[in-house]
Amino acid sequence: MIMKILPALLVFLLVTLVSAIQASDDALTHQIHLPRPQTGSRGSHVPGISCLSWRLGVETHNIIDWETVPAACEGYVGHYMLGHQYRKDSKAVTYEAYLYAKSLNLTKDDKNLWIFDIDETSLSNLPYYVHHGFGVEAYDSTTFGAWVLEGTAPALPESLKLYKKLLTLGVKVAFITGRGESQRSVTETNLKKVGYHTWVKLVLKDSSYSGKTAVVYKSSERKKLEENGYRIIGNIGDQWSDLLGTNVGNRSFKMPDPMYYIS
Ligand SMILES: *[C@@H]1O[C@H](CO)[C@@H](O)[C@H](O)[C@H]1NC(C)=O
Ligand SMILES: *[C@@H]1O[C@H](CO)[C@@H](O)[C@H](O)[C@H]1NC(C)=O
Ligand SMILES: [Mg+2]
């Protein structure tokens, strides 16, 4: 019995080791070191609920309006974001989006539009979160603003790939972001630097939306695009507030993000 299991076990260990080495080599996370040791997937703000269940609840929008990652899941979320699973989950989403777009018999009139969110969808802020942690003290508007102004956020590789494939299918792209108008030029430069070279519109949140939720702001901007004759065939974002509301388009694709919640 043992002799039968042993070779399989060795192969498993080898694969695990190779995977771990590849993870540390990752292009997106090359300047990223792992956070504090993993505390395991048990424990969250709800006694008896595992961090994996918490993450599933977040992704499915069963758990809403949360302010921070539960303290007991901070290590779990850090390891998820920096490891293979986040990238695999991202790929599963963008690949499905691509298959859908490819299956459409699109009119070649430059009116088929795909909406991309920016943060944690087109661009990744992982280098920021690696320095600031994934838990309660992770986000701070001053230091995050300074990070955005550096204009050095890497592309999320899976989203960039989807973007390029959509363009080859003749689909137009618009970005709608919660970033403010004052961040327009650095955002344009950052997008172009990492490979997003063209778009029909880059919508940033202007002062008329101050105090409004992302759902209200993004719905209203999608409506304007439709009024300009665009057909929103797809929409992709890491927050449910990117995807809910009105004028949501034919299909929505939710990118993974267990780091923060925006309503
Ligand atoms: C695709 O659309 C064109 C024009 O609307 C139509 O003539 C053609 O039959 C469609 N092809 C398929 C495979 O649905
Ligand atoms: C998108 O939805 C509209 C409204 O339901 C429909 O008329 C249109 O055919 C759909 N387009 C695609 C590409 O599925
Ligand atoms: Mg986002």
Side-chain angles (χ1 to χ4, degrees):
M1 189 59 181
I2 285 289
M3 295 314 284
K4 272 189 180 163
I5 292 174
L6 205 56
L9 191 65
L10 285 174
V11 168
F12 173 76
L13 288 175
L14 194 64
V15 167
T16 309
L17 185 67
V18 168
S19 304
I21 290 166
Q22 279 169 353
S24 61
D25 223 24
D26 196 286
L28 175 66
T29 57
H30 66 279
Q31 46 177 327
I32 289 170
H33 46 88
L34 291 176
R36 55 199 83 160
Q38 185 157 21
T39 53
S41 63
R42 290 185 175 281
S44 70
H45 61 314
V46 185
I49 293 228
S50 77
C51 292
L52 175 53
S53 303
W54 178 83
R55 180 166 65 82
L56 182 66
V58 162
E59 296 301 352
T60 51
H61 213 222
N62 291 324
I63 298 173
I64 65 167
D65 291 335
W66 50 280
E67 281 180 10
T68 59
V69 172
C73 297
E74 197 182 320
Y76 169 83
V77 167
H79 281 267
Y80 168 77
M81 290 302 297
L82 298 172
H84 291 296
Q85 199 59 47
Y86 171 58
R87 300 292 302 280
K88 285 182 186 167
D89 291 347
S90 299
K91 187 175 180 178
V93 176
T94 55
Y95 185 61
E96 209 59 42
Y98 167 64
L99 289 183
Y100 157 67
K102 198 163 67 100
S103 76
L104 299 174
N105 186 11
L106 296 173
T107 324
K108 304 253 183 288
D109 61 358
D110 291 348
K111 291 294 180 189
N112 295 303
L113 188 67
W114 199 286
I115 312 279
F116 278 78
D117 168 55
I118 294 186
D119 292 298
E120 267 58 70
T121 300
S122 307
L123 299 178
S124 170
N125 297 305
L126 262 182
Y128 171 87
Y129 287 102
V130 160
H131 281 109
H132 293 261
F134 296 87
V136 81
E137 74 290 5
Y139 177 85
D140 163 78
S141 60
T142 308
T143 56
F144 190 78
W147 153 253
V148 166
L149 287 183
E150 284 176 28
T152 55
L156 224 155
E158 289 72 29
S159 301
L160 182 58
K161 195 170 172 186
L162 172 64
Y163 165 89
K164 288 178 174 168
K165 287 188 163 179
L166 289 172
L167 292 181
T168 65
L169 289 172
V171 176
K172 298 291 167 188
V173 166
F175 293 99
I176 305 183
T177 175
R179 291 183 176 199
E181 269 300 339
S182 63
Q183 296 165 325
R184 177 176 290 277
S185 120
V186 71
T187 300
E188 273 182 10
T189 309
N190 197 155
L191 284 170
K192 287 188 172 157
K193 192 166 66 188
V194 300
Y196 298 96
H197 294 294
T198 183
W199 50 80
V200 296
K201 196 138 197 238
L202 168 59
V203 181
L204 296 107
K205 199 171 175 182
D206 70 33
S207 53
S208 71
Y209 290 110
S210 67
K212 301 255 170 62
T213 63
V215 173
V216 169
Y217 154 59
K218 294 201 168 191
S219 295
S220 155
E221 291 298 327
R222 287 193 301 265
K223 183 161 185 272
K224 286 186 198 166
L225 287 164
E226 289 190 340
E227 284 165 357
N228 285 327
Y230 288 108
R231 292 182 296 270
I232 301 174
I233 58 162
N235 184 11
I236 189 162
D238 64 291
Q239 297 291 318
W240 277 97
S241 54
D242 299 328
L243 312 174
L244 297 175
T246 69
N247 307 81
V248 292
N250 291 75
R251 275 194 69 176
S252 301
F253 294 88
K254 170 69 174 70
M255 290 297 276
D257 185 357
M259 297 194 296
Y260 54 84
Y261 182 88
I262 299 172
S263 60

PDB file of all heavy atoms in Angstrom, residues 206-240:
ATOM      1  N   ASP A 206     -16.106  62.900 -11.253  1.00  0.00           N
ATOM      2  CA  ASP A 206     -15.955  64.343 -11.024  1.00  0.00           C
ATOM      3  C   ASP A 206     -16.775  64.782  -9.813  1.00  0.00           C
ATOM      4  O   ASP A 206     -17.529  63.991  -9.235  1.00  0.00           O
ATOM      5  CB  ASP A 206     -16.256  65.153 -12.287  1.00  0.00           C
ATOM      6  CG  ASP A 206     -17.732  65.135 -12.657  1.00  0.00           C
ATOM      7  OD1 ASP A 206     -18.587  65.093 -11.741  1.00  0.00           O
ATOM      8  OD2 ASP A 206     -18.037  65.159 -13.863  1.00  0.00           O
ATOM      9  N   SER A 207     -16.618  66.066  -9.449  1.00  0.00           N
ATOM     10  CA  SER A 207     -17.174  66.546  -8.177  1.00  0.00           C
ATOM     11  C   SER A 207     -18.703  66.462  -8.128  1.00  0.00           C
ATOM     12  O   SER A 207     -19.281  66.431  -7.043  1.00  0.00           O
ATOM     13  CB  SER A 207     -16.711  67.980  -7.925  1.00  0.00           C
ATOM     14  OG  SER A 207     -17.022  68.773  -9.051  1.00  0.00           O
ATOM     15  N   SER A 208     -19.362  66.400  -9.319  1.00  0.00           N
ATOM     16  CA  SER A 208     -20.822  66.318  -9.297  1.00  0.00           C
ATOM     17  C   SER A 208     -21.305  65.019  -8.646  1.00  0.00           C
ATOM     18  O   SER A 208     -22.468  64.894  -8.280  1.00  0.00           O
ATOM     19  CB  SER A 208     -21.372  66.431 -10.723  1.00  0.00           C
ATOM     20  OG  SER A 208     -21.081  65.267 -11.458  1.00  0.00           O
ATOM     21  N   TYR A 209     -20.400  64.045  -8.513  1.00  0.00           N
ATOM     22  CA  TYR A 209     -20.791  62.773  -7.900  1.00  0.00           C
ATOM     23  C   TYR A 209     -20.328  62.649  -6.455  1.00  0.00           C
ATOM     24  O   TYR A 209     -20.454  61.583  -5.864  1.00  0.00           O
ATOM     25  CB  TYR A 209     -20.204  61.601  -8.690  1.00  0.00           C
ATOM     26  CG  TYR A 209     -20.824  61.406 -10.045  1.00  0.00           C
ATOM     27  CD1 TYR A 209     -20.106  61.674 -11.200  1.00  0.00           C
ATOM     28  CD2 TYR A 209     -22.126  60.929 -10.175  1.00  0.00           C
ATOM     29  CE1 TYR A 209     -20.655  61.482 -12.454  1.00  0.00           C
ATOM     30  CE2 TYR A 209     -22.695  60.735 -11.423  1.00  0.00           C
ATOM     31  CZ  TYR A 209     -21.953  61.014 -12.565  1.00  0.00           C
ATOM     32  OH  TYR A 209     -22.497  60.816 -13.792  1.00  0.00           O
ATOM     33  N   SER A 210     -19.807  63.737  -5.882  1.00  0.00           N
ATOM     34  CA  SER A 210     -19.290  63.586  -4.521  1.00  0.00           C
ATOM     35  C   SER A 210     -20.433  63.234  -3.576  1.00  0.00           C
ATOM     36  O   SER A 210     -21.533  63.790  -3.648  1.00  0.00           O
ATOM     37  CB  SER A 210     -18.537  64.835  -4.071  1.00  0.00           C
ATOM     38  OG  SER A 210     -19.431  65.898  -3.941  1.00  0.00           O
ATOM     39  N   GLY A 211     -20.190  62.262  -2.739  1.00  0.00           N
ATOM     40  CA  GLY A 211     -21.210  61.774  -1.819  1.00  0.00           C
ATOM     41  C   GLY A 211     -22.123  60.719  -2.419  1.00  0.00           C
ATOM     42  O   GLY A 211     -22.915  60.115  -1.711  1.00  0.00           O
ATOM     43  N   LYS A 212     -22.009  60.497  -3.744  1.00  0.00           N
ATOM     44  CA  LYS A 212     -22.830  59.456  -4.392  1.00  0.00           C
ATOM     45  C   LYS A 212     -22.074  58.124  -4.372  1.00  0.00           C
ATOM     46  O   LYS A 212     -20.845  58.097  -4.408  1.00  0.00           O
ATOM     47  CB  LYS A 212     -23.123  59.853  -5.840  1.00  0.00           C
ATOM     48  CG  LYS A 212     -23.863  61.186  -5.972  1.00  0.00           C
ATOM     49  CD  LYS A 212     -25.335  60.943  -6.325  1.00  0.00           C
ATOM     50  CE  LYS A 212     -26.181  62.204  -6.232  1.00  0.00           C
ATOM     51  NZ  LYS A 212     -25.762  63.256  -7.168  1.00  0.00           N
ATOM     52  N   THR A 213     -22.823  57.049  -4.344  1.00  0.00           N
ATOM     53  CA  THR A 213     -22.174  55.734  -4.362  1.00  0.00           C
ATOM     54  C   THR A 213     -21.624  55.430  -5.747  1.00  0.00           C
ATOM     55  O   THR A 213     -22.013  56.045  -6.748  1.00  0.00           O
ATOM     56  CB  THR A 213     -23.166  54.604  -4.005  1.00  0.00           C
ATOM     57  OG1 THR A 213     -24.192  54.583  -5.020  1.00  0.00           O
ATOM     58  CG2 THR A 213     -23.777  54.807  -2.636  1.00  0.00           C
ATOM     59  N   ALA A 214     -20.725  54.436  -5.789  1.00  0.00           N
ATOM     60  CA  ALA A 214     -20.172  53.988  -7.067  1.00  0.00           C
ATOM     61  C   ALA A 214     -21.280  53.437  -7.966  1.00  0.00           C
ATOM     62  O   ALA A 214     -21.242  53.610  -9.185  1.00  0.00           O
ATOM     63  CB  ALA A 214     -19.097  52.934  -6.825  1.00  0.00           C
ATOM     64  N   VAL A 215     -22.284  52.791  -7.370  1.00  0.00           N
ATOM     65  CA  VAL A 215     -23.384  52.232  -8.172  1.00  0.00           C
ATOM     66  C   VAL A 215     -24.092  53.359  -8.936  1.00  0.00           C
ATOM     67  O   VAL A 215     -24.341  53.249 -10.140  1.00  0.00           O
ATOM     68  CB  VAL A 215     -24.394  51.466  -7.287  1.00  0.00           C
ATOM     69  CG1 VAL A 215     -25.617  51.046  -8.105  1.00  0.00           C
ATOM     70  CG2 VAL A 215     -23.755  50.241  -6.660  1.00  0.00           C
ATOM     71  N   VAL A 216     -24.379  54.439  -8.238  1.00  0.00           N
ATOM     72  CA  VAL A 216     -25.068  55.577  -8.857  1.00  0.00           C
ATOM     73  C   VAL A 216     -24.189  56.228  -9.928  1.00  0.00           C
ATOM     74  O   VAL A 216     -24.623  56.457 -11.066  1.00  0.00           O
ATOM     75  CB  VAL A 216     -25.465  56.614  -7.773  1.00  0.00           C
ATOM     76  CG1 VAL A 216     -25.930  57.917  -8.394  1.00  0.00           C
ATOM     77  CG2 VAL A 216     -26.536  56.033  -6.859  1.00  0.00           C
ATOM     78  N   TYR A 217     -22.954  56.515  -9.558  1.00  0.00           N
ATOM     79  CA  TYR A 217     -22.009  57.153 -10.478  1.00  0.00           C
ATOM     80  C   TYR A 217     -21.781  56.318 -11.743  1.00  0.00           C
ATOM     81  O   TYR A 217     -21.921  56.800 -12.875  1.00  0.00           O
ATOM     82  CB  TYR A 217     -20.692  57.402  -9.731  1.00  0.00           C
ATOM     83  CG  TYR A 217     -19.445  57.477 -10.565  1.00  0.00           C
ATOM     84  CD1 TYR A 217     -19.308  58.428 -11.583  1.00  0.00           C
ATOM     85  CD2 TYR A 217     -18.379  56.599 -10.339  1.00  0.00           C
ATOM     86  CE1 TYR A 217     -18.141  58.489 -12.340  1.00  0.00           C
ATOM     87  CE2 TYR A 217     -17.221  56.658 -11.094  1.00  0.00           C
ATOM     88  CZ  TYR A 217     -17.102  57.605 -12.095  1.00  0.00           C
ATOM     89  OH  TYR A 217     -15.962  57.659 -12.854  1.00  0.00           O
ATOM     90  N   LYS A 218     -21.494  55.040 -11.557  1.00  0.00           N
ATOM     91  CA  LYS A 218     -21.144  54.206 -12.713  1.00  0.00           C
ATOM     92  C   LYS A 218     -22.370  53.942 -13.598  1.00  0.00           C
ATOM     93  O   LYS A 218     -22.260  53.934 -14.820  1.00  0.00           O
ATOM     94  CB  LYS A 218     -20.463  52.921 -12.247  1.00  0.00           C
ATOM     95  CG  LYS A 218     -19.093  53.210 -11.603  1.00  0.00           C
ATOM     96  CD  LYS A 218     -18.165  52.027 -11.577  1.00  0.00           C
ATOM     97  CE  LYS A 218     -16.743  52.489 -11.208  1.00  0.00           C
ATOM     98  NZ  LYS A 218     -15.717  51.478 -11.398  1.00  0.00           N
ATOM     99  N   SER A 219     -23.548  53.761 -12.976  1.00  0.00           N
ATOM    100  CA  SER A 219     -24.777  53.564 -13.758  1.00  0.00           C
ATOM    101  C   SER A 219     -25.023  54.772 -14.650  1.00  0.00           C
ATOM    102  O   SER A 219     -25.336  54.643 -15.845  1.00  0.00           O
ATOM    103  CB  SER A 219     -25.983  53.384 -12.835  1.00  0.00           C
ATOM    104  OG  SER A 219     -25.865  52.198 -12.088  1.00  0.00           O
ATOM    105  N   SER A 220     -24.887  55.955 -14.054  1.00  0.00           N
ATOM    106  CA  SER A 220     -25.173  57.182 -14.776  1.00  0.00           C
ATOM    107  C   SER A 220     -24.194  57.383 -15.940  1.00  0.00           C
ATOM    108  O   SER A 220     -24.584  57.822 -17.037  1.00  0.00           O
ATOM    109  CB  SER A 220     -25.138  58.339 -13.772  1.00  0.00           C
ATOM    110  OG  SER A 220     -24.841  59.532 -14.403  1.00  0.00           O
ATOM    111  N   GLU A 221     -22.943  57.022 -15.741  1.00  0.00           N
ATOM    112  CA  GLU A 221     -21.958  57.151 -16.820  1.00  0.00           C
ATOM    113  C   GLU A 221     -22.161  56.102 -17.916  1.00  0.00           C
ATOM    114  O   GLU A 221     -21.953  56.369 -19.095  1.00  0.00           O
ATOM    115  CB  GLU A 221     -20.537  57.089 -16.247  1.00  0.00           C
ATOM    116  CG  GLU A 221     -20.167  58.310 -15.407  1.00  0.00           C
ATOM    117  CD  GLU A 221     -20.181  59.623 -16.206  1.00  0.00           C
ATOM    118  OE1 GLU A 221     -19.853  59.594 -17.412  1.00  0.00           O
ATOM    119  OE2 GLU A 221     -20.536  60.674 -15.620  1.00  0.00           O
ATOM    120  N   ARG A 222     -22.610  54.916 -17.535  1.00  0.00           N
ATOM    121  CA  ARG A 222     -22.918  53.898 -18.551  1.00  0.00           C
ATOM    122  C   ARG A 222     -24.118  54.345 -19.389  1.00  0.00           C
ATOM    123  O   ARG A 222     -24.153  54.145 -20.605  1.00  0.00           O
ATOM    124  CB  ARG A 222     -23.208  52.539 -17.883  1.00  0.00           C
ATOM    125  CG  ARG A 222     -21.993  51.827 -17.325  1.00  0.00           C
ATOM    126  CD  ARG A 222     -22.313  50.370 -16.969  1.00  0.00           C
ATOM    127  NE  ARG A 222     -23.387  50.260 -15.982  1.00  0.00           N
ATOM    128  CZ  ARG A 222     -23.180  50.152 -14.668  1.00  0.00           C
ATOM    129  NH1 ARG A 222     -21.966  50.133 -14.173  1.00  0.00           N
ATOM    130  NH2 ARG A 222     -24.206  50.049 -13.838  1.00  0.00           N
ATOM    131  N   LYS A 223     -25.079  54.977 -18.728  1.00  0.00           N
ATOM    132  CA  LYS A 223     -26.264  55.469 -19.425  1.00  0.00           C
ATOM    133  C   LYS A 223     -25.856  56.493 -20.491  1.00  0.00           C
ATOM    134  O   LYS A 223     -26.331  56.447 -21.633  1.00  0.00           O
ATOM    135  CB  LYS A 223     -27.228  56.098 -18.413  1.00  0.00           C
ATOM    136  CG  LYS A 223     -28.537  56.581 -18.981  1.00  0.00           C
ATOM    137  CD  LYS A 223     -29.569  56.738 -17.854  1.00  0.00           C
ATOM    138  CE  LYS A 223     -30.940  57.109 -18.367  1.00  0.00           C
ATOM    139  NZ  LYS A 223     -31.157  58.550 -18.499  1.00  0.00           N
ATOM    140  N   LYS A 224     -24.942  57.392 -20.120  1.00  0.00           N
ATOM    141  CA  LYS A 224     -24.467  58.399 -21.080  1.00  0.00           C
ATOM    142  C   LYS A 224     -23.819  57.742 -22.286  1.00  0.00           C
ATOM    143  O   LYS A 224     -24.020  58.183 -23.423  1.00  0.00           O
ATOM    144  CB  LYS A 224     -23.443  59.325 -20.409  1.00  0.00           C
ATOM    145  CG  LYS A 224     -24.033  60.322 -19.436  1.00  0.00           C
ATOM    146  CD  LYS A 224     -22.920  61.267 -18.961  1.00  0.00           C
ATOM    147  CE  LYS A 224     -23.329  61.977 -17.678  1.00  0.00           C
ATOM    148  NZ  LYS A 224     -22.167  62.633 -17.032  1.00  0.00           N
ATOM    149  N   LEU A 225     -23.053  56.701 -22.050  1.00  0.00           N
ATOM    150  CA  LEU A 225     -22.396  56.007 -23.166  1.00  0.00           C
ATOM    151  C   LEU A 225     -23.437  55.382 -24.092  1.00  0.00           C
ATOM    152  O   LEU A 225     -23.322  55.450 -25.319  1.00  0.00           O
ATOM    153  CB  LEU A 225     -21.423  54.946 -22.638  1.00  0.00           C
ATOM    154  CG  LEU A 225     -20.140  55.509 -22.011  1.00  0.00           C
ATOM    155  CD1 LEU A 225     -19.417  54.445 -21.172  1.00  0.00           C
ATOM    156  CD2 LEU A 225     -19.193  56.038 -23.091  1.00  0.00           C
ATOM    157  N   GLU A 226     -24.491  54.804 -23.495  1.00  0.00           N
ATOM    158  CA  GLU A 226     -25.555  54.221 -24.317  1.00  0.00           C
ATOM    159  C   GLU A 226     -26.300  55.305 -25.085  1.00  0.00           C
ATOM    160  O   GLU A 226     -26.671  55.113 -26.249  1.00  0.00           O
ATOM    161  CB  GLU A 226     -26.517  53.404 -23.438  1.00  0.00           C
ATOM    162  CG  GLU A 226     -25.877  52.110 -22.945  1.00  0.00           C
ATOM    163  CD  GLU A 226     -26.850  51.136 -22.269  1.00  0.00           C
ATOM    164  OE1 GLU A 226     -27.935  51.563 -21.834  1.00  0.00           O
ATOM    165  OE2 GLU A 226     -26.489  49.957 -22.184  1.00  0.00           O
ATOM    166  N   GLU A 227     -26.488  56.444 -24.437  1.00  0.00           N
ATOM    167  CA  GLU A 227     -27.154  57.555 -25.128  1.00  0.00           C
ATOM    168  C   GLU A 227     -26.310  58.057 -26.308  1.00  0.00           C
ATOM    169  O   GLU A 227     -26.836  58.629 -27.262  1.00  0.00           O
ATOM    170  CB  GLU A 227     -27.433  58.698 -24.137  1.00  0.00           C
ATOM    171  CG  GLU A 227     -28.618  58.375 -23.226  1.00  0.00           C
ATOM    172  CD  GLU A 227     -28.723  59.282 -21.997  1.00  0.00           C
ATOM    173  OE1 GLU A 227     -27.839  60.141 -21.795  1.00  0.00           O
ATOM    174  OE2 GLU A 227     -29.689  59.107 -21.229  1.00  0.00           O
ATOM    175  N   ASN A 228     -25.000  57.837 -26.216  1.00  0.00           N
ATOM    176  CA  ASN A 228     -24.122  58.187 -27.331  1.00  0.00           C
ATOM    177  C   ASN A 228     -24.055  57.101 -28.398  1.00  0.00           C
ATOM    178  O   ASN A 228     -23.198  57.160 -29.283  1.00  0.00           O
ATOM    179  CB  ASN A 228     -22.719  58.509 -26.816  1.00  0.00           C
ATOM    180  CG  ASN A 228     -22.672  59.873 -26.139  1.00  0.00           C
ATOM    181  OD1 ASN A 228     -23.378  60.800 -26.527  1.00  0.00           O
ATOM    182  ND2 ASN A 228     -21.865  59.989 -25.101  1.00  0.00           N
ATOM    183  N   GLY A 229     -24.914  56.086 -28.274  1.00  0.00           N
ATOM    184  CA  GLY A 229     -25.025  55.081 -29.329  1.00  0.00           C
ATOM    185  C   GLY A 229     -24.242  53.804 -29.105  1.00  0.00           C
ATOM    186  O   GLY A 229     -24.279  52.899 -29.938  1.00  0.00           O
ATOM    187  N   TYR A 230     -23.527  53.712 -27.981  1.00  0.00           N
ATOM    188  CA  TYR A 230     -22.783  52.475 -27.721  1.00  0.00           C
ATOM    189  C   TYR A 230     -23.697  51.389 -27.178  1.00  0.00           C
ATOM    190  O   TYR A 230     -24.635  51.665 -26.439  1.00  0.00           O
ATOM    191  CB  TYR A 230     -21.645  52.729 -26.725  1.00  0.00           C
ATOM    192  CG  TYR A 230     -20.509  53.517 -27.322  1.00  0.00           C
ATOM    193  CD1 TYR A 230     -20.280  54.851 -26.958  1.00  0.00           C
ATOM    194  CD2 TYR A 230     -19.676  52.938 -28.274  1.00  0.00           C
ATOM    195  CE1 TYR A 230     -19.241  55.571 -27.521  1.00  0.00           C
ATOM    196  CE2 TYR A 230     -18.633  53.654 -28.839  1.00  0.00           C
ATOM    197  CZ  TYR A 230     -18.421  54.969 -28.465  1.00  0.00           C
ATOM    198  OH  TYR A 230     -17.401  55.684 -29.018  1.00  0.00           O
ATOM    199  N   ARG A 231     -23.401  50.153 -27.555  1.00  0.00           N
ATOM    200  CA  ARG A 231     -24.072  48.987 -26.993  1.00  0.00           C
ATOM    201  C   ARG A 231     -23.092  48.331 -26.019  1.00  0.00           C
ATOM    202  O   ARG A 231     -22.027  47.865 -26.451  1.00  0.00           O
ATOM    203  CB  ARG A 231     -24.441  47.989 -28.100  1.00  0.00           C
ATOM    204  CG  ARG A 231     -25.519  48.475 -29.064  1.00  0.00           C
ATOM    205  CD  ARG A 231     -25.833  47.391 -30.098  1.00  0.00           C
ATOM    206  NE  ARG A 231     -24.684  47.102 -30.943  1.00  0.00           N
ATOM    207  CZ  ARG A 231     -24.424  47.730 -32.103  1.00  0.00           C
ATOM    208  NH1 ARG A 231     -25.243  48.641 -32.578  1.00  0.00           N
ATOM    209  NH2 ARG A 231     -23.341  47.413 -32.802  1.00  0.00           N
ATOM    210  N   ILE A 232     -23.447  48.319 -24.748  1.00  0.00           N
ATOM    211  CA  ILE A 232     -22.550  47.722 -23.745  1.00  0.00           C
ATOM    212  C   ILE A 232     -22.753  46.215 -23.776  1.00  0.00           C
ATOM    213  O   ILE A 232     -23.715  45.686 -23.220  1.00  0.00           O
ATOM    214  CB  ILE A 232     -22.822  48.301 -22.341  1.00  0.00           C
ATOM    215  CG1 ILE A 232     -22.627  49.826 -22.367  1.00  0.00           C
ATOM    216  CG2 ILE A 232     -21.894  47.649 -21.316  1.00  0.00           C
ATOM    217  CD1 ILE A 232     -22.998  50.530 -21.064  1.00  0.00           C
ATOM    218  N   ILE A 233     -21.844  45.524 -24.432  1.00  0.00           N
ATOM    219  CA  ILE A 233     -21.997  44.063 -24.537  1.00  0.00           C
ATOM    220  C   ILE A 233     -21.389  43.364 -23.323  1.00  0.00           C
ATOM    221  O   ILE A 233     -21.747  42.240 -22.994  1.00  0.00           O
ATOM    222  CB  ILE A 233     -21.389  43.509 -25.844  1.00  0.00           C
ATOM    223  CG1 ILE A 233     -19.903  43.855 -25.945  1.00  0.00           C
ATOM    224  CG2 ILE A 233     -22.158  44.027 -27.055  1.00  0.00           C
ATOM    225  CD1 ILE A 233     -19.172  43.002 -26.956  1.00  0.00           C
ATOM    226  N   GLY A 234     -20.445  44.027 -22.646  1.00  0.00           N
ATOM    227  CA  GLY A 234     -19.831  43.410 -21.467  1.00  0.00           C
ATOM    228  C   GLY A 234     -19.267  44.451 -20.521  1.00  0.00           C
ATOM    229  O   GLY A 234     -19.000  45.589 -20.912  1.00  0.00           O
ATOM    230  N   ASN A 235     -19.133  44.054 -19.269  1.00  0.00           N
ATOM    231  CA  ASN A 235     -18.660  44.937 -18.207  1.00  0.00           C
ATOM    232  C   ASN A 235     -17.840  44.085 -17.256  1.00  0.00           C
ATOM    233  O   ASN A 235     -18.261  42.992 -16.897  1.00  0.00           O
ATOM    234  CB  ASN A 235     -19.881  45.550 -17.502  1.00  0.00           C
ATOM    235  CG  ASN A 235     -19.508  46.559 -16.431  1.00  0.00           C
ATOM    236  OD1 ASN A 235     -18.358  46.975 -16.311  1.00  0.00           O
ATOM    237  ND2 ASN A 235     -20.499  46.960 -15.643  1.00  0.00           N
ATOM    238  N   ILE A 236     -16.664  44.584 -16.863  1.00  0.00           N
ATOM    239  CA  ILE A 236     -15.829  43.809 -15.940  1.00  0.00           C
ATOM    240  C   ILE A 236     -15.298  44.699 -14.823  1.00  0.00           C
ATOM    241  O   ILE A 236     -14.858  45.822 -15.075  1.00  0.00           O
ATOM    242  CB  ILE A 236     -14.693  43.074 -16.696  1.00  0.00           C
ATOM    243  CG1 ILE A 236     -13.954  42.095 -15.783  1.00  0.00           C
ATOM    244  CG2 ILE A 236     -13.699  44.054 -17.348  1.00  0.00           C
ATOM    245  CD1 ILE A 236     -13.152  41.049 -16.548  1.00  0.00           C
ATOM    246  N   GLY A 237     -15.396  44.189 -13.599  1.00  0.00           N
ATOM    247  CA  GLY A 237     -14.917  44.951 -12.447  1.00  0.00           C
ATOM    248  C   GLY A 237     -14.732  44.043 -11.245  1.00  0.00           C
ATOM    249  O   GLY A 237     -15.266  42.939 -11.211  1.00  0.00           O
ATOM    250  N   ASP A 238     -13.963  44.525 -10.266  1.00  0.00           N
ATOM    251  CA  ASP A 238     -13.696  43.709  -9.077  1.00  0.00           C
ATOM    252  C   ASP A 238     -14.693  43.975  -7.953  1.00  0.00           C
ATOM    253  O   ASP A 238     -14.710  43.269  -6.960  1.00  0.00           O
ATOM    254  CB  ASP A 238     -12.279  43.972  -8.547  1.00  0.00           C
ATOM    255  CG  ASP A 238     -12.128  45.408  -8.081  1.00  0.00           C
ATOM    256  OD1 ASP A 238     -12.152  46.308  -8.941  1.00  0.00           O
ATOM    257  OD2 ASP A 238     -12.025  45.639  -6.855  1.00  0.00           O
ATOM    258  N   GLN A 239     -15.518  45.029  -8.098  1.00  0.00           N
ATOM    259  CA  GLN A 239     -16.523  45.352  -7.076  1.00  0.00           C
ATOM    260  C   GLN A 239     -17.910  45.115  -7.660  1.00  0.00           C
ATOM    261  O   GLN A 239     -18.145  45.401  -8.841  1.00  0.00           O
ATOM    262  CB  GLN A 239     -16.404  46.829  -6.663  1.00  0.00           C
ATOM    263  CG  GLN A 239     -15.077  47.186  -6.017  1.00  0.00           C
ATOM    264  CD  GLN A 239     -14.909  46.558  -4.636  1.00  0.00           C
ATOM    265  OE1 GLN A 239     -15.836  46.532  -3.827  1.00  0.00           O
ATOM    266  NE2 GLN A 239     -13.712  46.027  -4.370  1.00  0.00           N
ATOM    267  N   TRP A 240     -18.830  44.665  -6.825  1.00  0.00           N
ATOM    268  CA  TRP A 240     -20.205  44.507  -7.295  1.00  0.00           C
ATOM    269  C   TRP A 240     -20.792  45.861  -7.700  1.00  0.00           C
ATOM    270  O   TRP A 240     -21.661  45.940  -8.569  1.00  0.00           O
ATOM    271  CB  TRP A 240     -21.065  43.831  -6.221  1.00  0.00           C
ATOM    272  CG  TRP A 240     -20.900  42.351  -6.288  1.00  0.00           C
ATOM    273  CD1 TRP A 240     -20.070  41.583  -5.538  1.00  0.00           C
ATOM    274  CD2 TRP A 240     -21.546  41.461  -7.209  1.00  0.00           C
ATOM    275  NE1 TRP A 240     -20.157  40.266  -5.932  1.00  0.00           N
ATOM    276  CE2 TRP A 240     -21.052  40.166  -6.940  1.00  0.00           C
ATOM    277  CE3 TRP A 240     -22.492  41.630  -8.221  1.00  0.00           C
ATOM    278  CZ2 TRP A 240     -21.479  39.047  -7.656  1.00  0.00           C
ATOM    279  CZ3 TRP A 240     -22.917  40.517  -8.925  1.00  0.00           C
ATOM    280  CH2 TRP A 240     -22.420  39.252  -8.641  1.00  0.00           C
TER     281      TRP A 240
END
